[in-house]
Amino acid sequence: MTETPLPDLEAILLVGGQGTRLRPLTLGTPKPLLPTAGVPFLAHQLARARSFGVRRIVFATSYRAEMFSEAFGDGAAFGLSLEYMTEETPLGTGGAIRNAAQALTCGPDAPVLVLNGDILSGHDIADQVATHVARKAAVTLHLTEVDDPSRFGCVPTDETGRVTAFLEKTPNPVTNRINAGCYVFTRSVIDTIPAGQVVSVERETFPGLIEDGALVLGYADASYWLDVGTPAAFVKGSRDLVLGRLVSPALPGPPGDFLALPGAMISAEAKVAGGSVIGARAIVESGAQVSGSVLGDDCVVDSGAVVVDSVVGIGARVHSGAVLRDVIVGDGAVVGPGNELLAGSRVWPGVVLPESAIRFSSDI
Ligand code: GTP
């Protein structure tokens, strides 16, 4: 790791997606603003980008755009200068980068960092940028290795690191290296993306550049990496940050077994662990067990309830004897006593589950 600060690097942050896989959490709040280890998810990315020398970030917004400027303003609190570029209709990842680039101040030869707004990564951004500049690449893609690449597009490279193809999902991937959602573009390359239309970097821009013989480089490493796009991954991300498996300058407190936000009340007879977050003013009663979970502000977990690897929304209530494992409970929902919800179940905001109504479910 070099972690050398870079002089005045500009970045574009892609945050315009609807986060459909994280519904119902994303019905009211965009994915990048969901509370994660006690702060909005993006706070971790902003703090990390800042630590590598990024000073100015253009947010490419669309879905619930106004919520981003309300949350982060001009960025001064983060030591950053933030701009917001909003697409009236979403332009896809490539169209969003092109649109946001209008707010960049750098010249055509400068490197521009582009970050997906739903990735937690421990990789050395400065080294990725330095590699891009040294090799005079058009684009340098962060690549990460996953156990099961069949769920992702895969990105093979030659022995010099040059990307040879950008392949769609397939049951028999040729490599387990995948696109990790952090790119360095030479500014002039962004200007070649068609303006004002829907473009996907994954399906159009990168394959097109490779076909045209441009130097598209892979920057592969084995550091911590997680795409928080699914409920299970979102909970894991929060857990890993609280436990210190990924160090974040934005974590509000030292890493530990759990994080209790101001006003949280946890009974001395409750068991809270596994990197859980207990939201502000939330209550965890005696004999309750909360592990690896995110409890929203003002929610209540009654005595004897068990909450494992789950999200309990703002103001929601989990009654005595209820068991939740790998579950999303929407804001204000009530899980009555004795219910048992497992494996990806989701309770929509405001839904009230009567006593012992469910023994394992999917969507309610
Ligand atoms: P799902 O709907 O659950 O797939 O999530 P998503 O909407 O976030 O889509 P995906 O994970 O594929 O997006 C990757 C990144 O690009 C995320 O940070 C999105 O916010 C962002 N993104 C996707 N499409 C657009 C778009 O049309 N405009 C902008 N500005 N950002 C986008």
Side-chain angles (χ1 to χ4, degrees), residues 13-22 31-32 59-63 85 87 89-93 95-97 115-119 198-199 202 227 229-230:
L13 191 52
L14 295 172
V15 291
Q18 299 213 357
T20 50
R21 289 167 297 162
L22 276 182
K31 176 167 53 176
F59 279 47
T61 61
S62 178
Y63 178 63
M85 292 295 283
E87 301 138 53
T89 54
L91 293 173
T93 46
I97 294 169
L115 300 159
N116 276 4
D118 55 358
I119 300 293
V198 177
V199 181
E202 299 87 349
D227 169 348
T230 64

PDB file of all heavy atoms in Angstrom, residues 13-22 31-32 59-63 85 87 89-93 95-97 115-119 198-199 202 227 229-230, ligand 1:
ATOM      1  N   LEU A  13     -18.856  10.438  -8.555  1.00  0.00           N
ATOM      2  CA  LEU A  13     -19.457   9.386  -7.732  1.00  0.00           C
ATOM      3  C   LEU A  13     -20.827   9.058  -8.314  1.00  0.00           C
ATOM      4  O   LEU A  13     -21.689   9.944  -8.414  1.00  0.00           O
ATOM      5  CB  LEU A  13     -19.577   9.938  -6.309  1.00  0.00           C
ATOM      6  CG  LEU A  13     -19.917   9.035  -5.164  1.00  0.00           C
ATOM      7  CD1 LEU A  13     -19.004   7.828  -5.095  1.00  0.00           C
ATOM      8  CD2 LEU A  13     -19.804   9.831  -3.854  1.00  0.00           C
ATOM      9  N   LEU A  14     -21.014   7.804  -8.718  1.00  0.00           N
ATOM     10  CA  LEU A  14     -22.278   7.391  -9.344  1.00  0.00           C
ATOM     11  C   LEU A  14     -23.273   6.987  -8.263  1.00  0.00           C
ATOM     12  O   LEU A  14     -23.100   5.970  -7.597  1.00  0.00           O
ATOM     13  CB  LEU A  14     -22.030   6.199 -10.274  1.00  0.00           C
ATOM     14  CG  LEU A  14     -21.154   6.481 -11.489  1.00  0.00           C
ATOM     15  CD1 LEU A  14     -20.839   5.178 -12.217  1.00  0.00           C
ATOM     16  CD2 LEU A  14     -21.847   7.455 -12.427  1.00  0.00           C
ATOM     17  N   VAL A  15     -24.310   7.788  -8.112  1.00  0.00           N
ATOM     18  CA  VAL A  15     -25.268   7.513  -7.028  1.00  0.00           C
ATOM     19  C   VAL A  15     -26.720   7.636  -7.496  1.00  0.00           C
ATOM     20  O   VAL A  15     -27.608   7.878  -6.694  1.00  0.00           O
ATOM     21  CB  VAL A  15     -25.021   8.451  -5.812  1.00  0.00           C
ATOM     22  CG1 VAL A  15     -23.714   8.107  -5.126  1.00  0.00           C
ATOM     23  CG2 VAL A  15     -25.045   9.915  -6.223  1.00  0.00           C
ATOM     24  N   GLY A  16     -26.944   7.465  -8.804  1.00  0.00           N
ATOM     25  CA  GLY A  16     -28.290   7.716  -9.329  1.00  0.00           C
ATOM     26  C   GLY A  16     -29.184   6.493  -9.420  1.00  0.00           C
ATOM     27  O   GLY A  16     -30.336   6.598  -9.835  1.00  0.00           O
ATOM     28  N   GLY A  17     -28.676   5.314  -9.040  1.00  0.00           N
ATOM     29  CA  GLY A  17     -29.464   4.087  -9.199  1.00  0.00           C
ATOM     30  C   GLY A  17     -30.623   4.013  -8.218  1.00  0.00           C
ATOM     31  O   GLY A  17     -30.643   4.712  -7.208  1.00  0.00           O
ATOM     32  N   GLN A  18     -31.584   3.144  -8.533  1.00  0.00           N
ATOM     33  CA  GLN A  18     -32.779   3.035  -7.695  1.00  0.00           C
ATOM     34  C   GLN A  18     -32.613   2.030  -6.557  1.00  0.00           C
ATOM     35  O   GLN A  18     -33.457   1.962  -5.666  1.00  0.00           O
ATOM     36  CB  GLN A  18     -33.964   2.611  -8.552  1.00  0.00           C
ATOM     37  CG  GLN A  18     -34.244   3.618  -9.637  1.00  0.00           C
ATOM     38  CD  GLN A  18     -35.713   3.717  -9.976  1.00  0.00           C
ATOM     39  OE1 GLN A  18     -36.531   2.994  -9.439  1.00  0.00           O
ATOM     40  NE2 GLN A  18     -36.036   4.619 -10.870  1.00  0.00           N
ATOM     41  N   GLY A  19     -31.557   1.219  -6.614  1.00  0.00           N
ATOM     42  CA  GLY A  19     -31.318   0.263  -5.526  1.00  0.00           C
ATOM     43  C   GLY A  19     -32.470  -0.711  -5.342  1.00  0.00           C
ATOM     44  O   GLY A  19     -32.867  -1.018  -4.218  1.00  0.00           O
ATOM     45  N   THR A  20     -32.988  -1.247  -6.459  1.00  0.00           N
ATOM     46  CA  THR A  20     -34.188  -2.097  -6.375  1.00  0.00           C
ATOM     47  C   THR A  20     -33.966  -3.340  -5.518  1.00  0.00           C
ATOM     48  O   THR A  20     -34.884  -3.797  -4.844  1.00  0.00           O
ATOM     49  CB  THR A  20     -34.636  -2.545  -7.788  1.00  0.00           C
ATOM     50  OG1 THR A  20     -33.499  -3.071  -8.461  1.00  0.00           O
ATOM     51  CG2 THR A  20     -35.186  -1.392  -8.585  1.00  0.00           C
ATOM     52  N   ARG A  21     -32.745  -3.864  -5.540  1.00  0.00           N
ATOM     53  CA  ARG A  21     -32.514  -5.106  -4.781  1.00  0.00           C
ATOM     54  C   ARG A  21     -32.563  -4.875  -3.281  1.00  0.00           C
ATOM     55  O   ARG A  21     -32.654  -5.823  -2.511  1.00  0.00           O
ATOM     56  CB  ARG A  21     -31.162  -5.706  -5.184  1.00  0.00           C
ATOM     57  CG  ARG A  21     -31.137  -6.306  -6.576  1.00  0.00           C
ATOM     58  CD  ARG A  21     -29.723  -6.593  -7.020  1.00  0.00           C
ATOM     59  NE  ARG A  21     -28.938  -5.359  -7.117  1.00  0.00           N
ATOM     60  CZ  ARG A  21     -27.619  -5.295  -7.139  1.00  0.00           C
ATOM     61  NH1 ARG A  21     -26.916  -6.402  -7.068  1.00  0.00           N
ATOM     62  NH2 ARG A  21     -26.994  -4.132  -7.238  1.00  0.00           N
ATOM     63  N   LEU A  22     -32.465  -3.624  -2.874  1.00  0.00           N
ATOM     64  CA  LEU A  22     -32.506  -3.337  -1.428  1.00  0.00           C
ATOM     65  C   LEU A  22     -33.865  -2.804  -0.979  1.00  0.00           C
ATOM     66  O   LEU A  22     -33.979  -2.248   0.118  1.00  0.00           O
ATOM     67  CB  LEU A  22     -31.413  -2.340  -1.058  1.00  0.00           C
ATOM     68  CG  LEU A  22     -30.035  -2.936  -0.799  1.00  0.00           C
ATOM     69  CD1 LEU A  22     -29.041  -1.863  -0.400  1.00  0.00           C
ATOM     70  CD2 LEU A  22     -30.097  -3.976   0.301  1.00  0.00           C
ATOM     71  N   LYS A  31     -29.861   4.027  -1.874  1.00  0.00           N
ATOM     72  CA  LYS A  31     -28.894   3.073  -1.298  1.00  0.00           C
ATOM     73  C   LYS A  31     -27.654   3.756  -0.716  1.00  0.00           C
ATOM     74  O   LYS A  31     -27.245   3.435   0.410  1.00  0.00           O
ATOM     75  CB  LYS A  31     -28.524   2.060  -2.394  1.00  0.00           C
ATOM     76  CG  LYS A  31     -27.470   1.058  -2.035  1.00  0.00           C
ATOM     77  CD  LYS A  31     -27.386  -0.097  -3.048  1.00  0.00           C
ATOM     78  CE  LYS A  31     -27.219   0.313  -4.486  1.00  0.00           C
ATOM     79  NZ  LYS A  31     -27.043  -0.854  -5.383  1.00  0.00           N
ATOM     80  N   PRO A  32     -27.038   4.722  -1.431  1.00  0.00           N
ATOM     81  CA  PRO A  32     -25.793   5.294  -0.889  1.00  0.00           C
ATOM     82  C   PRO A  32     -25.991   6.116   0.382  1.00  0.00           C
ATOM     83  O   PRO A  32     -25.026   6.495   1.017  1.00  0.00           O
ATOM     84  CB  PRO A  32     -25.304   6.200  -2.026  1.00  0.00           C
ATOM     85  CG  PRO A  32     -26.016   5.719  -3.261  1.00  0.00           C
ATOM     86  CD  PRO A  32     -27.346   5.235  -2.787  1.00  0.00           C
ATOM     87  N   PHE A  59     -21.120  14.529  -7.736  1.00  0.00           N
ATOM     88  CA  PHE A  59     -22.104  13.469  -7.549  1.00  0.00           C
ATOM     89  C   PHE A  59     -22.963  13.389  -8.803  1.00  0.00           C
ATOM     90  O   PHE A  59     -23.536  14.398  -9.220  1.00  0.00           O
ATOM     91  CB  PHE A  59     -23.032  13.787  -6.372  1.00  0.00           C
ATOM     92  CG  PHE A  59     -22.478  13.483  -5.012  1.00  0.00           C
ATOM     93  CD1 PHE A  59     -21.203  13.862  -4.640  1.00  0.00           C
ATOM     94  CD2 PHE A  59     -23.270  12.846  -4.067  1.00  0.00           C
ATOM     95  CE1 PHE A  59     -20.717  13.590  -3.372  1.00  0.00           C
ATOM     96  CE2 PHE A  59     -22.793  12.572  -2.794  1.00  0.00           C
ATOM     97  CZ  PHE A  59     -21.517  12.939  -2.442  1.00  0.00           C
ATOM     98  N   ALA A  60     -23.064  12.192  -9.391  1.00  0.00           N
ATOM     99  CA  ALA A  60     -23.978  11.970 -10.524  1.00  0.00           C
ATOM    100  C   ALA A  60     -25.272  11.413  -9.946  1.00  0.00           C
ATOM    101  O   ALA A  60     -25.349  10.234  -9.601  1.00  0.00           O
ATOM    102  CB  ALA A  60     -23.349  10.999 -11.513  1.00  0.00           C
ATOM    103  N   THR A  61     -26.259  12.273  -9.795  1.00  0.00           N
ATOM    104  CA  THR A  61     -27.489  11.891  -9.092  1.00  0.00           C
ATOM    105  C   THR A  61     -28.657  11.753 -10.053  1.00  0.00           C
ATOM    106  O   THR A  61     -28.651  12.312 -11.156  1.00  0.00           O
ATOM    107  CB  THR A  61     -27.869  12.949  -8.033  1.00  0.00           C
ATOM    108  OG1 THR A  61     -28.086  14.188  -8.698  1.00  0.00           O
ATOM    109  CG2 THR A  61     -26.804  13.116  -6.986  1.00  0.00           C
ATOM    110  N   SER A  62     -29.677  11.033  -9.609  1.00  0.00           N
ATOM    111  CA  SER A  62     -30.925  10.939 -10.369  1.00  0.00           C
ATOM    112  C   SER A  62     -32.040  10.607  -9.368  1.00  0.00           C
ATOM    113  O   SER A  62     -32.791  11.484  -8.968  1.00  0.00           O
ATOM    114  CB  SER A  62     -30.789   9.892 -11.480  1.00  0.00           C
ATOM    115  OG  SER A  62     -32.001   9.774 -12.164  1.00  0.00           O
ATOM    116  N   TYR A  63     -32.115   9.342  -8.929  1.00  0.00           N
ATOM    117  CA  TYR A  63     -33.148   8.920  -7.974  1.00  0.00           C
ATOM    118  C   TYR A  63     -33.001   9.707  -6.667  1.00  0.00           C
ATOM    119  O   TYR A  63     -31.932   9.719  -6.067  1.00  0.00           O
ATOM    120  CB  TYR A  63     -32.999   7.415  -7.727  1.00  0.00           C
ATOM    121  CG  TYR A  63     -33.951   6.818  -6.723  1.00  0.00           C
ATOM    122  CD1 TYR A  63     -35.322   6.827  -6.952  1.00  0.00           C
ATOM    123  CD2 TYR A  63     -33.483   6.226  -5.559  1.00  0.00           C
ATOM    124  CE1 TYR A  63     -36.195   6.265  -6.024  1.00  0.00           C
ATOM    125  CE2 TYR A  63     -34.343   5.649  -4.637  1.00  0.00           C
ATOM    126  CZ  TYR A  63     -35.703   5.677  -4.879  1.00  0.00           C
ATOM    127  OH  TYR A  63     -36.568   5.121  -3.973  1.00  0.00           O
ATOM    128  N   MET A  85     -24.646  16.918 -10.064  1.00  0.00           N
ATOM    129  CA  MET A  85     -25.151  16.963 -11.441  1.00  0.00           C
ATOM    130  C   MET A  85     -26.277  15.939 -11.531  1.00  0.00           C
ATOM    131  O   MET A  85     -26.069  14.742 -11.322  1.00  0.00           O
ATOM    132  CB  MET A  85     -24.047  16.621 -12.431  1.00  0.00           C
ATOM    133  CG  MET A  85     -22.952  17.661 -12.515  1.00  0.00           C
ATOM    134  SD  MET A  85     -23.512  19.247 -13.175  1.00  0.00           S
ATOM    135  CE  MET A  85     -23.599  18.874 -14.916  1.00  0.00           C
ATOM    136  N   GLU A  87     -29.445  13.925 -13.398  1.00  0.00           N
ATOM    137  CA  GLU A  87     -30.094  13.504 -14.658  1.00  0.00           C
ATOM    138  C   GLU A  87     -31.591  13.476 -14.429  1.00  0.00           C
ATOM    139  O   GLU A  87     -32.045  12.842 -13.487  1.00  0.00           O
ATOM    140  CB  GLU A  87     -29.623  12.089 -15.024  1.00  0.00           C
ATOM    141  CG  GLU A  87     -28.140  11.960 -15.202  1.00  0.00           C
ATOM    142  CD  GLU A  87     -27.624  10.670 -14.553  1.00  0.00           C
ATOM    143  OE1 GLU A  87     -28.138   9.580 -14.838  1.00  0.00           O
ATOM    144  OE2 GLU A  87     -26.687  10.775 -13.744  1.00  0.00           O
ATOM    145  N   THR A  89     -33.846  12.026 -16.354  1.00  0.00           N
ATOM    146  CA  THR A  89     -34.112  10.592 -16.442  1.00  0.00           C
ATOM    147  C   THR A  89     -32.747   9.911 -16.391  1.00  0.00           C
ATOM    148  O   THR A  89     -31.784  10.436 -16.957  1.00  0.00           O
ATOM    149  CB  THR A  89     -34.827  10.200 -17.757  1.00  0.00           C
ATOM    150  OG1 THR A  89     -34.051  10.706 -18.838  1.00  0.00           O
ATOM    151  CG2 THR A  89     -36.219  10.777 -17.827  1.00  0.00           C
ATOM    152  N   PRO A  90     -32.661   8.763 -15.700  1.00  0.00           N
ATOM    153  CA  PRO A  90     -31.347   8.149 -15.510  1.00  0.00           C
ATOM    154  C   PRO A  90     -30.667   7.843 -16.850  1.00  0.00           C
ATOM    155  O   PRO A  90     -31.309   7.332 -17.765  1.00  0.00           O
ATOM    156  CB  PRO A  90     -31.668   6.854 -14.758  1.00  0.00           C
ATOM    157  CG  PRO A  90     -33.060   6.995 -14.258  1.00  0.00           C
ATOM    158  CD  PRO A  90     -33.754   7.986 -15.113  1.00  0.00           C
ATOM    159  N   LEU A  91     -29.373   8.163 -16.926  1.00  0.00           N
ATOM    160  CA  LEU A  91     -28.646   8.001 -18.189  1.00  0.00           C
ATOM    161  C   LEU A  91     -27.764   6.757 -18.208  1.00  0.00           C
ATOM    162  O   LEU A  91     -26.964   6.587 -19.121  1.00  0.00           O
ATOM    163  CB  LEU A  91     -27.792   9.249 -18.450  1.00  0.00           C
ATOM    164  CG  LEU A  91     -28.591  10.536 -18.728  1.00  0.00           C
ATOM    165  CD1 LEU A  91     -27.660  11.735 -18.811  1.00  0.00           C
ATOM    166  CD2 LEU A  91     -29.394  10.399 -20.022  1.00  0.00           C
ATOM    167  N   GLY A  92     -27.907   5.892 -17.196  1.00  0.00           N
ATOM    168  CA  GLY A  92     -27.027   4.719 -17.125  1.00  0.00           C
ATOM    169  C   GLY A  92     -25.655   5.157 -16.650  1.00  0.00           C
ATOM    170  O   GLY A  92     -25.368   6.356 -16.521  1.00  0.00           O
ATOM    171  N   THR A  93     -24.788   4.188 -16.388  1.00  0.00           N
ATOM    172  CA  THR A  93     -23.492   4.520 -15.790  1.00  0.00           C
ATOM    173  C   THR A  93     -22.636   5.415 -16.699  1.00  0.00           C
ATOM    174  O   THR A  93     -22.039   6.392 -16.240  1.00  0.00           O
ATOM    175  CB  THR A  93     -22.730   3.235 -15.437  1.00  0.00           C
ATOM    176  OG1 THR A  93     -22.821   2.336 -16.550  1.00  0.00           O
ATOM    177  CG2 THR A  93     -23.321   2.548 -14.210  1.00  0.00           C
ATOM    178  N   GLY A  95     -23.668   7.357 -19.394  1.00  0.00           N
ATOM    179  CA  GLY A  95     -24.323   8.643 -19.598  1.00  0.00           C
ATOM    180  C   GLY A  95     -24.173   9.533 -18.373  1.00  0.00           C
ATOM    181  O   GLY A  95     -23.999  10.756 -18.481  1.00  0.00           O
ATOM    182  N   ALA A  96     -24.219   8.911 -17.190  1.00  0.00           N
ATOM    183  CA  ALA A  96     -24.082   9.677 -15.949  1.00  0.00           C
ATOM    184  C   ALA A  96     -22.670  10.249 -15.814  1.00  0.00           C
ATOM    185  O   ALA A  96     -22.489  11.399 -15.408  1.00  0.00           O
ATOM    186  CB  ALA A  96     -24.386   8.776 -14.748  1.00  0.00           C
ATOM    187  N   ILE A  97     -21.666   9.454 -16.187  1.00  0.00           N
ATOM    188  CA  ILE A  97     -20.276   9.938 -16.099  1.00  0.00           C
ATOM    189  C   ILE A  97     -20.095  11.126 -17.053  1.00  0.00           C
ATOM    190  O   ILE A  97     -19.524  12.157 -16.698  1.00  0.00           O
ATOM    191  CB  ILE A  97     -19.278   8.800 -16.430  1.00  0.00           C
ATOM    192  CG1 ILE A  97     -19.341   7.706 -15.368  1.00  0.00           C
ATOM    193  CG2 ILE A  97     -17.858   9.343 -16.556  1.00  0.00           C
ATOM    194  CD1 ILE A  97     -18.600   6.417 -15.732  1.00  0.00           C
ATOM    195  N   LEU A 115     -16.259   6.409  -9.114  1.00  0.00           N
ATOM    196  CA  LEU A 115     -16.595   5.410  -8.093  1.00  0.00           C
ATOM    197  C   LEU A 115     -18.068   5.045  -8.173  1.00  0.00           C
ATOM    198  O   LEU A 115     -18.928   5.936  -8.212  1.00  0.00           O
ATOM    199  CB  LEU A 115     -16.348   5.994  -6.700  1.00  0.00           C
ATOM    200  CG  LEU A 115     -14.933   6.435  -6.362  1.00  0.00           C
ATOM    201  CD1 LEU A 115     -14.945   7.431  -5.206  1.00  0.00           C
ATOM    202  CD2 LEU A 115     -14.089   5.228  -5.991  1.00  0.00           C
ATOM    203  N   ASN A 116     -18.374   3.758  -8.169  1.00  0.00           N
ATOM    204  CA  ASN A 116     -19.759   3.330  -7.947  1.00  0.00           C
ATOM    205  C   ASN A 116     -20.107   3.644  -6.500  1.00  0.00           C
ATOM    206  O   ASN A 116     -19.295   3.383  -5.600  1.00  0.00           O
ATOM    207  CB  ASN A 116     -19.906   1.813  -8.162  1.00  0.00           C
ATOM    208  CG  ASN A 116     -20.106   1.457  -9.610  1.00  0.00           C
ATOM    209  OD1 ASN A 116     -20.072   2.322 -10.480  1.00  0.00           O
ATOM    210  ND2 ASN A 116     -20.313   0.184  -9.886  1.00  0.00           N
ATOM    211  N   GLY A 117     -21.318   4.115  -6.282  1.00  0.00           N
ATOM    212  CA  GLY A 117     -21.680   4.551  -4.930  1.00  0.00           C
ATOM    213  C   GLY A 117     -22.160   3.445  -4.019  1.00  0.00           C
ATOM    214  O   GLY A 117     -22.792   3.728  -3.001  1.00  0.00           O
ATOM    215  N   ASP A 118     -21.871   2.200  -4.351  1.00  0.00           N
ATOM    216  CA  ASP A 118     -22.345   1.109  -3.487  1.00  0.00           C
ATOM    217  C   ASP A 118     -21.263   0.075  -3.231  1.00  0.00           C
ATOM    218  O   ASP A 118     -21.548  -1.101  -3.033  1.00  0.00           O
ATOM    219  CB  ASP A 118     -23.589   0.445  -4.097  1.00  0.00           C
ATOM    220  CG  ASP A 118     -23.360  -0.034  -5.521  1.00  0.00           C
ATOM    221  OD1 ASP A 118     -22.250   0.179  -6.051  1.00  0.00           O
ATOM    222  OD2 ASP A 118     -24.281  -0.619  -6.102  1.00  0.00           O
ATOM    223  N   ILE A 119     -20.013   0.544  -3.230  1.00  0.00           N
ATOM    224  CA  ILE A 119     -18.881  -0.377  -3.061  1.00  0.00           C
ATOM    225  C   ILE A 119     -18.093  -0.006  -1.810  1.00  0.00           C
ATOM    226  O   ILE A 119     -17.807   1.166  -1.578  1.00  0.00           O
ATOM    227  CB  ILE A 119     -17.921  -0.270  -4.284  1.00  0.00           C
ATOM    228  CG1 ILE A 119     -18.629  -0.620  -5.592  1.00  0.00           C
ATOM    229  CG2 ILE A 119     -16.678  -1.120  -4.080  1.00  0.00           C
ATOM    230  CD1 ILE A 119     -19.052  -2.052  -5.733  1.00  0.00           C
ATOM    231  N   VAL A 198     -28.670   7.428 -22.963  1.00  0.00           N
ATOM    232  CA  VAL A 198     -28.398   6.343 -22.022  1.00  0.00           C
ATOM    233  C   VAL A 198     -27.222   5.513 -22.542  1.00  0.00           C
ATOM    234  O   VAL A 198     -27.245   5.041 -23.678  1.00  0.00           O
ATOM    235  CB  VAL A 198     -29.648   5.445 -21.850  1.00  0.00           C
ATOM    236  CG1 VAL A 198     -29.340   4.270 -20.923  1.00  0.00           C
ATOM    237  CG2 VAL A 198     -30.810   6.262 -21.303  1.00  0.00           C
ATOM    238  N   VAL A 199     -26.192   5.396 -21.717  1.00  0.00           N
ATOM    239  CA  VAL A 199     -25.008   4.605 -22.092  1.00  0.00           C
ATOM    240  C   VAL A 199     -24.574   3.793 -20.863  1.00  0.00           C
ATOM    241  O   VAL A 199     -24.577   4.310 -19.746  1.00  0.00           O
ATOM    242  CB  VAL A 199     -23.821   5.519 -22.507  1.00  0.00           C
ATOM    243  CG1 VAL A 199     -22.608   4.675 -22.906  1.00  0.00           C
ATOM    244  CG2 VAL A 199     -24.195   6.470 -23.633  1.00  0.00           C
ATOM    245  N   GLU A 202     -20.330  -0.584 -18.754  1.00  0.00           N
ATOM    246  CA  GLU A 202     -20.015  -2.016 -18.738  1.00  0.00           C
ATOM    247  C   GLU A 202     -20.363  -2.668 -20.076  1.00  0.00           C
ATOM    248  O   GLU A 202     -19.623  -3.524 -20.561  1.00  0.00           O
ATOM    249  CB  GLU A 202     -20.786  -2.721 -17.617  1.00  0.00           C
ATOM    250  CG  GLU A 202     -20.477  -2.232 -16.208  1.00  0.00           C
ATOM    251  CD  GLU A 202     -21.324  -1.026 -15.765  1.00  0.00           C
ATOM    252  OE1 GLU A 202     -22.019  -0.419 -16.630  1.00  0.00           O
ATOM    253  OE2 GLU A 202     -21.280  -0.677 -14.583  1.00  0.00           O
ATOM    254  N   ASP A 227     -19.635  -5.386  -2.695  1.00  0.00           N
ATOM    255  CA  ASP A 227     -20.709  -4.644  -3.362  1.00  0.00           C
ATOM    256  C   ASP A 227     -21.925  -4.788  -2.448  1.00  0.00           C
ATOM    257  O   ASP A 227     -22.413  -5.906  -2.239  1.00  0.00           O
ATOM    258  CB  ASP A 227     -20.941  -5.292  -4.729  1.00  0.00           C
ATOM    259  CG  ASP A 227     -22.194  -4.791  -5.425  1.00  0.00           C
ATOM    260  OD1 ASP A 227     -23.018  -4.120  -4.785  1.00  0.00           O
ATOM    261  OD2 ASP A 227     -22.348  -5.087  -6.611  1.00  0.00           O
ATOM    262  N   GLY A 229     -24.984  -4.230  -2.747  1.00  0.00           N
ATOM    263  CA  GLY A 229     -26.253  -4.119  -3.472  1.00  0.00           C
ATOM    264  C   GLY A 229     -27.372  -5.031  -2.999  1.00  0.00           C
ATOM    265  O   GLY A 229     -28.530  -4.778  -3.306  1.00  0.00           O
ATOM    266  N   THR A 230     -27.059  -6.104  -2.276  1.00  0.00           N
ATOM    267  CA  THR A 230     -28.120  -7.019  -1.815  1.00  0.00           C
ATOM    268  C   THR A 230     -28.288  -6.861  -0.308  1.00  0.00           C
ATOM    269  O   THR A 230     -27.364  -6.408   0.384  1.00  0.00           O
ATOM    270  CB  THR A 230     -27.749  -8.484  -2.108  1.00  0.00           C
ATOM    271  OG1 THR A 230     -26.577  -8.808  -1.346  1.00  0.00           O
ATOM    272  CG2 THR A 230     -27.486  -8.725  -3.585  1.00  0.00           C
TER     273      THR A 230
HETATM  274  P1  GTP B   1     -30.155  -2.246  -8.274  1.00  0.00           P
HETATM  275  O1  GTP B   1     -31.379  -1.555  -8.815  1.00  0.00           O
HETATM  276  O2  GTP B   1     -30.467  -2.995  -7.009  1.00  0.00           O
HETATM  277  O3  GTP B   1     -29.428  -3.079  -9.291  1.00  0.00           O
HETATM  278  O4  GTP B   1     -29.104  -1.121  -7.792  1.00  0.00           O
HETATM  279  P2  GTP B   1     -28.552   0.189  -8.565  1.00  0.00           P
HETATM  280  O5  GTP B   1     -29.695   0.986  -9.051  1.00  0.00           O
HETATM  281  O6  GTP B   1     -27.642   0.900  -7.625  1.00  0.00           O
HETATM  282  O7  GTP B   1     -27.761  -0.370  -9.806  1.00  0.00           O
HETATM  283  P3  GTP B   1     -26.259  -0.865  -9.903  1.00  0.00           P
HETATM  284  O8  GTP B   1     -25.863  -1.543  -8.625  1.00  0.00           O
HETATM  285  O9  GTP B   1     -26.087  -1.605 -11.145  1.00  0.00           O
HETATM  286  O10 GTP B   1     -25.464   0.525 -10.064  1.00  0.00           O
HETATM  287  C1  GTP B   1     -24.077   0.663  -9.863  1.00  0.00           C
HETATM  288  C2  GTP B   1     -23.796   2.107  -9.467  1.00  0.00           C
HETATM  289  O11 GTP B   1     -24.147   2.995 -10.528  1.00  0.00           O
HETATM  290  C3  GTP B   1     -24.605   2.539  -8.259  1.00  0.00           C
HETATM  291  O12 GTP B   1     -23.760   3.360  -7.479  1.00  0.00           O
HETATM  292  C4  GTP B   1     -25.759   3.328  -8.858  1.00  0.00           C
HETATM  293  O13 GTP B   1     -26.203   4.355  -7.979  1.00  0.00           O
HETATM  294  C5  GTP B   1     -25.143   3.915 -10.104  1.00  0.00           C
HETATM  295  N1  GTP B   1     -26.078   4.054 -11.233  1.00  0.00           N
HETATM  296  C6  GTP B   1     -26.699   3.049 -11.908  1.00  0.00           C
HETATM  297  N2  GTP B   1     -27.444   3.553 -12.908  1.00  0.00           N
HETATM  298  C7  GTP B   1     -27.290   4.912 -12.863  1.00  0.00           C
HETATM  299  C8  GTP B   1     -27.815   6.001 -13.642  1.00  0.00           C
HETATM  300  O14 GTP B   1     -28.595   5.834 -14.592  1.00  0.00           O
HETATM  301  N3  GTP B   1     -27.415   7.276 -13.296  1.00  0.00           N
HETATM  302  C9  GTP B   1     -26.567   7.503 -12.261  1.00  0.00           C
HETATM  303  N4  GTP B   1     -26.241   8.765 -11.976  1.00  0.00           N
HETATM  304  N5  GTP B   1     -26.059   6.500 -11.500  1.00  0.00           N
HETATM  305  C10 GTP B   1     -26.413   5.231 -11.802  1.00  0.00           C
END
